Each structure stands twice: as C-alpha cells, then as structure tokens.
Amino acid sequence: MKAPKVVIIGGNMAGLSAARQLSGELDVTLVNPGDYCEWLPNIHELVSGTKEPDSLRIPLATVLERCGHRFLRDSVTELDTEQGRAVLASGRILPFDRCIVAVGGVNNPAGVPGAEARSLPFKSVRDAYAIHTRLCELVDDGERRGVTVVGAGLEGVEVLGEILRGFDRYQSLLDIHVVEAGQRLLPDAPARVDKGIRKASRPFPVKFHTGTRVAEVGPDSVTLDDGHQLDSALTIWTGGVMPHPRLRAWGLAASGGDAPVDEALRSRYCDQVFVVGDAADTGQGLQKQAYHAMAMGEQAAANVEAELRGEPTKAFQPAPKPQLITFGHLDCFLIFDRMVVAGMVLGQLKEAIYQVNMARLDPPSRPGPALSFYQRLYQGFWHSLWPHVTRLDTLRRLPKLRFYRQDGSGDEREHA
Ligand SMILES: Cc1cc2nc3c(=O)[nH]c(=O)nc-3n(C[C@H](O)[C@H](O)[C@H](O)COP(=O)(O)OP(=O)(O)OC[C@H]3O[C@@H](n4cnc5c(N)ncnc54)[C@H](O)[C@@H]3O)c2cc1C
C-alpha cells in the first residue's frame, strides 16, 4: 500500500516542528521559499553584530533528509482543498491526503505611505542583517544621522537595545527616535517595563515619541501624525505582523484574518487541512510566539498520524509561557502577566533558550550539525556572556534581579 501523502506549507518554526514529528514512513514534502528555518527570537542580535546570520539558520534540506522527508524550495500559490492538491509557483502539483499550513504572518506596513518602499522590515535574518549593514554604513560616513524605530513592541524594543549595544561608541553620530502609537513602550506590558527602558536609555541619544503614529516615511525623514518631521536616514519598521493574505485565497480564513481552527488544530473550513503557528486562530487569544508555534506544529503532526491510523485526535493545550524581552547589554525583562522580573542576568536565559531550541530543531548527532552546535555555543560565549563578565559596570549589575508586581488598580510594587 502506498504511504499517505502529507504536504507541509512553510518551513519555519511551526512547519519544521511538524515535519520533525512526522514518521519517515509517511510520504512527507515540506515546501518553503527559502533554504533555511530561521530562529527569529534572536535576530535582533544581528543588528549589533553579536550573532552572525548562519548561527540563526537551520538548513531545511539536511534536517528533512535525516527525517526521511522531502524538501522543495518553492512557494505554494494555490491550495485546492476539494481535490487535495497544492500548486507551486514552479507549476508543480503536489497531491495530499493531509496538509499542514504553517505560513506565519506577513510584515504589516499598516497602509502608511512610504512604509513599504522606504523602511527596512524586521522579519527575517536577512532583514536584520540589512539593518546592521546600513547602520555600519551610516557611522562610517562620519556625519550625524537620524535613525527611527517604528513600533515599540517586543521587536522594536529589542532592536533599540541592540543599536545601543552595537553602536554605543558612535553615540555622537546617531540621533535615535522611537515612535509608538500606544501611550507607553511595550503597551501590553506592565508600566514598569516602560520606565526601565527609558531609564536605561537616558545616557544615549534616544528620543521616545509615544501616543503618536507615523503618517509618512520619506526618503530621509519620517512624518508623525502631529506634523512633526524627524530626520531619518534609516527607518526600521517593527509595526507587527498581519495575517498571510493567501489564507483567505485558499479558503482557510473568511475575512482577511488568521485561519480559524478547532481544538485539534484542524481548519474549520476543511477537514484535511491543519493550520499551525502564527497563521492559526485557535480562538484562545494566544500570543504569536515561537514556543506556541513549535508546540502546535508537533500537535498537528501527531493528530495527522493519529487520524491516518484511524485513532482519535488530541486537543492542543497551550502551556502558559512568560515573555522574555532583552534590552541589549542594558537590561532584560521576564513578564508573567502582571508580574515582571528584571535584570541583566536574564539575558543569559534567552541565550540558553536559543541554544536549546536550535539544538532541538537540528540535533548535533552528526558532524555537520555538531559543528554548527559548537560554533553557536562558542559565539554565544564570546559575544553574549564574555563581554558582561569582563566589564566592571555590567558585572556589578549582572546578579541583581528586581521584581515588580502590578496590583488590580494598576499600581506597581517593587520587591527585593
Ligand atoms: C523579530 C521577531 C522577534 C520575535 N521574538 C520572539 C521571542 O522573543 N519569543 C517568541 O516566542 N517569539 C518571538 N517571535 C515570534 C515567533 O518568531 C513567531 O511566533 C514564529 O516564528 C511563528 O512561526 P511560524 O512557523 O508559524 O511562522 P513563520 O516563522 O513566520 O514562518 C512561516 C514560514 O512560511 C513560509 N511561507 C510563507 N508563505 C508560503 C507559501 N505560500 N508557500 C510556502 N511557504 C510559505 C515563510 O517563508 C516562512 O518560512 C518573534 C518574531 C519576530 C519577527
């Protein structure tokens, strides 16, 4: 009997996690436009030069071959859910018995004129490295220039921290602006995080513009909605992600949103299709986070196998996870709903999470992955840990942890 065919669309965290879970006895094909799975939670470290692009990439062809699966560097353009087939940009057609859709979201320029053409997005290793390169060009020019970070959510704050970390010797050459529509930085986090970031930024040439939006991005400027114009030789767009437009075209989402799924992660519109990661709307208001994406990928794969064996599927149970936000070499915040733990030592936790997950997605069991594993460890030690323990100012701050709890009234108390 022929092995059932499974097609996975998208090969980043959710898609690769699904593929790794699926048995090599199935006929599995993963389609992704790029050759690599990229560990996005640490791409901000490319901006400062703390990490290098290869240390955040996992070669899909190699990992999938080890699992007994097929990798196609291509893009799915059409999904015919009635016939059970995916049509690729190359024209190739892949029939499937089950399909796992893991296409994530896309950059959201929010309809702001000039945002797409004149700012650099922050959604991939390539994007983050382009920002690093442009910053190097600006400081090499030797003239004072403006840099604007649009959005002060997790990505914007981490980018700002890395600019301060990587380019602190060039403070006299940079005017950094951060524009955030919310009333404070990281609007969803307790107010203490906003205070901590502003305080840590005080010695640097940073201006925060909160409660205001970008109205237009020009070639060398950013115009705010109050008419104020900022000089900006480099504009970095971290305005969040929006649902992938193909979800609607493929009949998996009704009105330009994410794809609704049931508790087994099956599409509410098509029985053979499971949707995972950032593309899925579980109805639970889950944050778009890497660990949810990986867990969904694994659960959907387990459900596909169960179903093909004629067994019942299991509900996806998201584990509660705190959010970890690094602010360059200056601070780090671990946020559990209303509780915040802050301190530079937590930056090492983010490094550990990165090392563990890269090793999990690409286990160092053979010479190639083992070499990448040791290179990542070596780079993490020299660029992330060593600079902290060899500078007296950072070493003094390293072991100190602060605890804040926000009570029901929104007041915050500091605990020793
Ligand atoms: C800058 C940044 C920082 C982040 N920091 C954190 C963090 O600190 N902690 C955390 O938990 N999460 C973080 N996240 C969120 C986390 O990275 C995402 O939740 C996670 O990447 C979602 O995984 P995914 O596989 O669902 O989607 P994605 O990672 O977006 O991957 C989707 C994949 O699908 C491919 N694809 C798209 N369209 C097609 C098509 N038509 N055919 C084939 N393939 C296609 C894409 O090329 C891509 O490879 C961050 C995200 C960003 C952008």
Side-chain angles (χ1 to χ4, degrees):
M1 204 174 82
K2 273 193 174 174
K5 292 183 191 305
V6 181
V7 170
I8 303 175
I9 310 178
N12 220 39
M13 290 170 204
L16 181 58
S17 302
R20 287 187 44 79
Q21 177 77 27
L22 287 171
S23 151
E25 285 170 20
L26 296 170
D27 180 345
V28 178
T29 306
L30 183 146
V31 186
N32 192 68
D35 283 323
Y36 301 97
C37 166
E38 301 187 340
W39 182 255
L40 301 180
N42 286 72
I43 58 172
H44 55 280
E45 290 182 286
L46 295 171
V47 171
S48 58
T50 303
K51 288 207 176 2
E52 286 164 22
D54 280 351
S55 62
L56 294 161
R57 288 177 165 152
I58 294 171
L60 286 168
T62 322
V63 178
L64 292 165
E65 192 192 346
R66 253 184 281 146
C67 300
H69 306 327
R70 196 176 303 109
F71 168 59
L72 292 180
R73 185 183 172 171
D74 210 323
S75 176
V76 174
T77 51
E78 283 171 47
L79 191 69
D80 182 343
T81 50
E82 277 176 21
Q83 302 286 324
R85 41 184 224 155
V87 182
L88 311 190
S90 59
R92 192 164 169 171
I93 292 174
L94 298 178
F96 60 79
D97 297 291
R98 293 292 180 279
C99 176
I100 299 178
V101 175
V103 292
V106 294
N107 187 42
N108 185 5
V112 172
E116 214 159 348
R118 294 184 182 132
S119 65
L120 295 186
F122 184 62
K123 181 82 182 67
S124 66
V125 165
R126 193 176 154 171
D127 296 342
Y129 197 63
I131 293 168
H132 170 77
T133 308
R134 182 74 185 122
L135 281 164
C136 291
E137 285 167 6
L138 289 182
V139 295
D140 280 352
D141 271 0
E143 276 180 43
R144 195 170 179 100
R145 310 298 287 271
V147 172
T148 307
V149 179
V150 184
L154 176 142
E155 292 92 353
V157 164
E158 291 196 325
V159 166
L160 172 66
E162 293 304 314
I163 297 175
L164 302 184
R165 187 205 305 228
F167 296 86
D168 64 344
R169 281 178 297 142
Y170 303 101
Q171 284 181 45
S172 59
L173 296 176
L174 297 174
D175 279 317
I176 306 168
H177 299 277
V178 178
V179 184
E180 165 57 46
Q183 293 303 325
R184 57 179 198 238
L185 312 172
L186 283 157
D188 298 334
R192 189 51 81 144
V193 182
D194 168 286
K195 280 190 203 155
I197 293 164
R198 288 180 196 259
K199 189 173 166 200
S201 307
R202 239 174 255 151
F204 300 95
V206 183
K207 280 198 187 123
F208 294 103
H209 310 262
T210 45
T212 183
R213 289 175 185 275
V214 170
E216 185 171 1
V217 181
D220 280 305
S221 67
V222 163
T223 308
L224 304 183
D225 58 4
D226 58 7
H228 199 83
Q229 202 170 54
L230 312 173
D231 284 337
S232 186
L234 166 62
T235 303
I236 303 165
W237 195 269
T238 69
V241 291
M242 60 183 183
H244 198 297
R246 292 234 162 102
L247 294 174
R248 188 178 183 194
W250 293 343
L252 300 176
S255 56
D258 289 321
V261 291
D262 66 12
E263 69 278 3
L265 302 172
R266 187 198 312 277
S267 161
R268 296 222 177 250
Y269 297 108
C270 178
D271 282 353
Q272 301 107 298
V273 176
F274 289 75
V275 187
V276 291
D278 283 5
D281 174 6
T282 60
Q284 297 161 308
L286 276 190
Q287 279 187 332
K288 308 267 180 220
Q289 299 249 354
Y291 41 72
H292 291 317
M294 291 190 291
M296 282 190 202
E298 288 170 6
Q299 185 63 63
N303 284 344
V304 163
E305 288 207 1
E307 210 169 70
L308 292 170
R309 286 195 302 265
E311 293 168 8
T313 56
K314 286 196 180 138
F316 170 64
Q317 307 276 9
K321 291 272 169 38
Q323 206 176 20
L324 187 57
I325 300 173
T326 53
F327 191 52
H329 58 313
L330 299 168
D331 216 340
C332 187
F333 305 91
L334 186 63
I335 304 172
F336 309 77
D337 195 19
R338 291 174 185 277
M339 164 98 176
V340 180
V341 185
M344 274 174 52
V345 71
L346 296 171
Q348 298 315 311
L349 181 59
K350 187 134 183 164
E351 177 65 20
I353 293 171
Y354 151 76
Q355 295 285 357
V356 166
N357 280 297
M358 291 293 282
R360 188 172 141 201
L361 291 167
D362 187 15
S365 52
R366 292 193 194 177
L371 185 63
S372 308
F373 173 69
Y374 289 113
Q375 278 170 344
R376 286 194 300 264
L377 271 185
Y378 179 81
Q379 228 182 68
F381 177 77
W382 281 111
H383 296 292
S384 296
L385 184 61
W386 190 244
H388 286 305
V389 295
T390 50
R391 279 177 53 173
L392 204 58
D393 58 331
T394 52
L395 187 60
R396 260 198 223 113
R397 278 185 282 150
L398 198 57
K400 287 188 189 155
L401 280 181
R402 288 115 58 210
F403 296 82
Y404 307 103
R405 177 180 284 283
Q406 192 172 38
D407 63 27
S409 66
D411 286 345
E412 288 174 6
R413 290 175 214 289
E414 185 164 350
H415 302 262

